[in-house]
Amino acid sequence: MTNIFENCSYHSIYEPFLLNCTNTTDQCYLIKYVDTIQQLNFWLNTVIPIILLSIALFLNMYFLFILVPEYIDMSDVVRKQYVFVLSRGVSMLTATSAELVIRCIPVPSIDYTFFFLFFIIDDVGFYTLLGSYVGSAVLLYLATVRPIFYSLRISARTVYWFAAGNIVGSVALSVTTAIFQAAVQAEGPFSCDVEHCQPIINVIVYSIIAISFIIPIFTLSFVLITLHFHKNRMGGIGSDTSTFTSARTRLAWTLFTCTLISLSEAIPDFYMVGMKIDSLMGTCMNFYRADHLVIPVIMNSFQILAWSIALIVDPLCGLLFDPRMRKRLLGHITYVKLIITKVSCCRSNEEKTG
């Protein structure tokens, strides 16, 4: 077979996969973009996300390590305030683990079942997280603005039922979307080609994601604004306590995290909703337009980068702004400092006696 790149001054390791792509006279020009795209994809979609997701995994595990013992020792009155906080922690850990697995463990074969299960796990974490945001915000609103109704009508069992409903609804929605998402990656119950099926799936997934984010962002914004006016109306009587201030601060950071996640999902999907891009760079379709795929690759990477940052911010805010969590965190920091001091003293004594 004739090597279409033999007269090029620039050569790439991907040339053997593109020898059949003879329907262009710009092979030497396009092959440079193939390498650029691969490098961008390697760093922005693999290396940096793995580093950020590893940090997020540690923070979410530590968050649950502190929260679970505290949650077990809480009374029912206090525990109902933390049901959705616990749900958020589990959802964050699930989403982080799923994203790390898909990037760190090589897939042995292009299998529909593997992608189907991965998207279910990933989407369940995603949708339960959004539901937990809404649940936490509504409970904070009722506890602050409608305290009598909250005390008399909202029991721990009621909150558990809402949390269970959030999980069931998230699973049902995740199964529905995972069927189509997996079909784009591998052949399954039906074939989803790049030319006809993928643009339709992009529109459907983008619409579901957009609707899924409108409700949490609207709810969080409404509650945050309401709490601000409630504080001003009540003045300094009972509302401007450290607990209330911490709650509003956590809610503001939650709104930031939710907005960041929504932008990470919406911007790339909106940009790429009408594009037909094969997942493999070593195809003639992508090679012929390699010079136009740099921005789409960056936009696609922006999604996981923003997700990774959000997965770090959420548990960090819980550790810093929740009074119970912050107390345990400061206790652990003090304990670590004490150990470091003792080790330093022991080493100093050994040097003196030696």
Side-chain angles (χ1 to χ4, degrees):
M1 180 180 295
T2 304
N3 187 347
I4 60 176
F5 303 101
E6 60 183 355
N7 295 323
C8 298
S9 59
Y10 181 89
H11 293 279
S12 169
I13 60 174
Y14 300 99
E15 290 178 7
F17 303 100
L18 304 169
L19 294 178
N20 293 325
C21 304
T22 57
N23 192 24
T24 179
T25 58
D26 296 326
Q27 293 93 343
C28 297
Y29 169 75
L30 295 174
I31 194 63
K32 297 179 181 179
Y33 285 95
V34 173
D35 267 1
T36 300
I37 291 171
Q38 293 293 349
Q39 288 294 323
L40 286 172
N41 187 62
F42 175 73
W43 286 102
L44 297 182
N45 205 34
T46 304
V47 176
I48 297 177
I50 286 177
I51 295 173
L52 294 177
L53 288 170
S54 298
I55 297 173
L57 182 66
F58 169 77
L59 286 174
N60 281 285
M61 291 177 65
Y62 180 69
F63 178 81
L64 290 175
F65 173 76
I66 291 180
L67 177 61
V68 171
E70 286 281 336
Y71 184 82
I72 294 174
D73 294 336
M74 291 175 183
S75 63
D76 285 344
V77 176
V78 179
R79 186 177 295 173
K80 65 183 180 181
Q81 302 175 13
Y82 282 84
V83 171
F84 284 108
V85 176
L86 179 62
S87 175
R88 283 169 60 174
V90 175
S91 300
M92 281 284 186
L93 184 61
T94 301
T96 305
S97 301
E99 292 293 343
L100 265 176
V101 166
I102 199 65
R103 281 166 173 79
C104 295
I105 299 178
V107 182
S109 61
I110 305 299
D111 182 65
Y112 176 86
T113 303
F114 172 84
F115 284 111
F116 177 68
L117 294 175
F118 164 74
F119 282 120
I120 287 180
I121 297 173
D122 189 48
D123 291 347
V124 165
F126 168 69
Y127 290 119
T128 53
L129 177 63
L130 295 181
S132 298
Y133 284 159
V134 174
S136 298
V138 172
L139 289 178
L140 178 59
Y141 170 82
L142 293 176
T144 306
V145 182
R146 299 287 186 268
I148 297 178
F149 177 85
Y150 176 78
S151 300
L152 299 179
R153 298 297 181 88
I154 306 297
S155 63
R157 179 176 296 181
T158 303
V159 180
Y160 286 140
W161 277 109
F162 278 111
N166 178 38
I167 295 174
V168 172
S170 298
V171 170
L173 189 58
S174 299
V175 170
T176 303
T177 55
I179 292 174
F180 300 103
Q181 289 174 305
V184 175
Q185 302 294 331
E187 291 188 7
F190 61 94
S191 178
C192 186
D193 61 351
V194 177
E195 184 69 24
H196 302 96
C197 179
Q198 184 174 322
I200 298 175
I201 297 302
N202 287 343
V203 172
I204 294 174
V205 172
Y206 171 72
S207 301
I208 293 175
I209 289 174
I211 295 173
S212 300
F213 275 111
I214 288 174
I215 297 174
I217 290 179
F218 175 80
T219 304
L220 293 171
S221 301
F222 170 78
V223 173
L224 189 61
I225 294 172
T226 302
L227 292 182
H228 174 74
F229 285 108
H230 177 76
K231 170 182 173 294
N232 292 337
R233 185 168 60 252
M234 296 294 294
I237 305 176
S239 63
D240 197 16
T241 62
S242 60
T243 302
F244 181 78
T245 302
S246 298
R248 288 191 296 113
T249 303
R250 293 199 313 273
L251 184 62
W253 276 106
T254 300
L255 178 60
F256 168 78
T257 305
C258 187
T259 304
L260 182 62
I261 296 175
S262 66
L263 291 176
S264 73
E265 295 287 341
I267 292 177
D269 286 342
F270 181 79
Y271 180 83
M272 302 176 70
V273 70
M275 301 188 70
K276 307 165 187 176
I277 300 177
D278 196 293
S279 58
L280 299 175
M281 196 59 220
T283 61
C284 293
M285 174 185 291
N286 286 341
F287 175 63
Y288 293 148
R289 53 181 180 158
D291 54 334
H292 293 90
L293 294 181
V294 175
I295 300 300
V297 168
I298 295 175
M299 295 299 295
N300 185 58
S301 301
F302 170 77
Q303 189 175 52
I304 183 59
L305 291 175
W307 242 114
S308 301
I309 295 173
L311 291 171
I312 292 174
V313 170
D314 195 78
L316 198 59
C317 290
L319 292 169
L320 295 177
F321 298 117
D322 186 284
R324 293 174 178 269
M325 306 291 284
R326 185 170 61 246
K327 182 178 179 181
R328 292 290 298 272
L329 173 64
L330 293 176
H332 289 167
I333 293 175
T334 303
Y335 180 72
V336 171
K337 287 182 177 179
L338 181 62
I339 293 177
I340 294 174
T341 302
K342 287 184 177 180
V343 172
S344 299
C345 290
C346 291
R347 288 182 177 179
S348 178
N349 293 332
E350 289 177 358
E351 290 176 357
K352 290 179 180 179
T353 56

